[in-house]
Amino acid sequence: MNATALVRGVWQYRGFVSSAVRSEFRSRYARSRIGLAWMVLHPLFLVAIFTVVLSEVLAARMPGIDNVFGFAAYLLVGIMAWSLFAELTQRLSTVFIDNASLLKKLSVPRASLPMIAFGSVAVTHLILLLVLLVALPLLGFAPTLHWLWLPLLSSVTAAFALGLGVLLGTLNVFMRDVGQVLGVVLQLGFWMTPIVYHPSMLPAALEPWVVLNPMATMVVAYHNVLLFGVAPGWGVAILALLALGLNFLAWFMFRRAAADVVDVL
């Protein structure tokens, strides 16, 4: 199976992909009185907890933000960016295992399964992003032209997570420890990403490790364009190239292993 055939197969089943994404949202919030609102409430609760603990108890302050709601806004932006990466990577890492019965019963392109997960996470992210863009002006952060960088930042983050997720998802079929290790790495990655703290607050010994974290580059870029009125640096362009290479490797490995995936599952 070459790349052209893979893309053509997904395109031919685009109706199946979009229908599966809609079905997932309906089943996820079935019999829920407030439905999709839970997608917004969960990150807001997390922000509220961190704000109380770190902003009030520990008197944390964000350098460069002279706003009483600055810390809450900083958290909102960071968690929104991180959730896109973490949720998409986590979903894709188990997408073939979670859909083993579907792969064995239906004749659908295997590549459509990552696209279903991608579409579901993308819709969730879009809703959170719209809520964030409404909330920031209410918190005292007026829109600027730098906000126009957001589609690029989201695209690069999603592309990086897609490549990493498909790569891990393929490996996870054959080595189930991959999924267990990923959960631990994501927890560590959250704290190695400047989401609940500003990079300037880090001890000098930790700074090189944070710089090596690709999501640290992206979260800083989100903070810069939304809160500080600064354009993204060259690190985003480098990460875009890394995401391109990672996707090439991930889909190459997926094509090579696709014939064996069903047998192993």
Side-chain angles (χ1 to χ4, degrees):
M1 180 190 299
N2 56 37
T4 303
L6 187 148
V7 173
R8 186 185 301 117
V10 173
W11 177 252
Q12 289 176 346
Y13 280 80
R14 61 190 182 279
F16 168 74
V17 172
S18 60
S19 175
V21 171
R22 291 193 298 269
S23 298
E24 179 178 328
F25 276 99
R26 284 196 296 267
S27 61
R28 185 188 304 180
Y29 299 104
R31 300 183 181 180
S32 173
R33 292 184 179 275
I34 59 177
L36 295 177
W38 283 115
M39 287 192 299
V40 178
L41 291 176
H42 282 156
L44 287 182
F45 287 149
L46 186 60
V47 168
I49 292 172
F50 277 125
T51 299
V52 170
V53 173
L54 297 179
S55 185
E56 297 298 329
V57 177
L58 301 181
R61 295 293 181 266
M62 291 293 105
I65 300 180
D66 186 16
N67 185 310
V68 66
F69 301 111
F71 188 68
Y74 190 89
L75 279 172
L76 275 172
V77 173
I79 288 176
M80 184 272 301
W82 174 260
S83 65
L84 171 61
F85 165 75
E87 184 179 357
L88 184 52
T89 304
Q90 190 79 59
R91 287 281 304 275
L92 290 171
S93 70
T94 61
V95 68
F96 302 117
I97 296 173
D98 293 341
N99 294 279
S101 59
L102 182 63
L103 284 173
K104 295 177 181 179
K105 294 178 181 178
L106 298 180
S107 177
V108 297
R110 295 174 180 85
S112 64
L113 296 179
M115 292 300 102
I116 293 171
F118 183 90
S120 176
V121 175
V123 171
T124 301
H125 176 70
L126 180 60
I127 294 173
L128 290 175
L129 187 58
L130 292 175
V131 171
L132 177 67
L133 295 181
V134 172
L136 286 180
L138 297 178
L139 295 175
F141 295 88
T144 68
L145 289 177
H146 289 93
W147 287 23
L148 297 177
W149 287 102
L150 279 176
L152 173 64
L153 297 183
S154 294
S155 298
V156 173
T157 304
F160 180 72
L162 176 64
L164 181 60
V166 171
L167 178 62
L168 295 177
T170 303
L171 293 175
N172 200 23
V173 172
F174 304 94
M175 299 180 292
R176 299 301 173 90
D177 290 337
V178 170
Q180 303 299 326
V181 172
L182 178 62
V184 176
V185 172
L186 286 177
Q187 291 182 30
L188 177 63
F190 178 86
W191 293 105
M192 293 299 291
T193 304
I195 297 171
V196 300
Y197 57 84
H198 192 272
S200 63
M201 298 177 178
L202 287 173
L206 289 179
E207 289 182 3
W209 295 101
V210 173
V211 171
L212 293 175
N213 176 7
M215 276 309 297
T217 299
M218 294 309 303
V219 168
V220 168
Y222 273 98
H223 283 144
N224 282 341
V225 301
L226 288 172
L227 304 180
F228 300 108
V230 178
W234 284 104
V236 174
I238 295 173
L239 188 59
L241 293 176
L242 177 61
L244 184 63
L246 189 58
N247 272 278
F248 178 83
L249 174 62
W251 290 104
F252 173 78
M253 289 188 61
F254 170 77
R255 293 197 305 271
R256 293 292 300 270
D260 300 321
V261 165
V262 175
D263 294 334
V264 174
L265 290 172

